[in-house]
Amino acid sequence: MARYGGELGAPLVMTAGSYLDHLAAGDGDWYPRWVNVLQLNWLYRPGGSLVDSGVAYTIETLHFVTLVVRARLRHGEHSD
């Protein structure tokens, strides 16, 4: 974000993940114990399964990577 944030054309860029959900819930027991023990918090969505979350995150990540590659190609930037 620090490097390319200005090129997005947005007045504000914010990455919050599920922080706002945690804040709204107001409790410390957001994840089931087994998720905390296995440190899979990043993959777990309350009300969903790990498979659903994994698919959603994979699709979102692929979409993001596609946008970055397109932007780099448009601007003629290549990795060194």
Side-chain angles (χ1 to χ4, degrees):
M1 283 186 34
R3 185 171 178 184
Y4 296 106
E7 295 180 28
L8 296 176
L12 173 68
V13 177
M14 190 170 118
T15 60
S18 64
Y19 173 74
L20 297 176
D21 292 331
H22 290 258
L23 190 62
D27 60 12
D29 296 328
W30 182 259
Y31 300 106
R33 180 168 165 61
W34 66 270
V35 172
N36 286 327
V37 169
L38 296 174
Q39 297 181 355
L40 294 174
N41 311 56
W42 59 276
L43 188 59
Y44 181 84
R45 285 187 182 178
S49 70
L50 289 174
V51 173
D52 294 339
S53 300
V55 169
Y57 288 138
T58 300
I59 291 169
E60 291 169 2
T61 301
L62 288 174
H63 181 244
F64 173 74
V65 169
T66 301
L67 293 174
V68 169
V69 169
R70 284 183 187 165
R72 290 185 68 125
L73 291 173
R74 262 196 313 260
H75 290 77
E77 296 179 21
H78 303 285
S79 297
D80 294 318

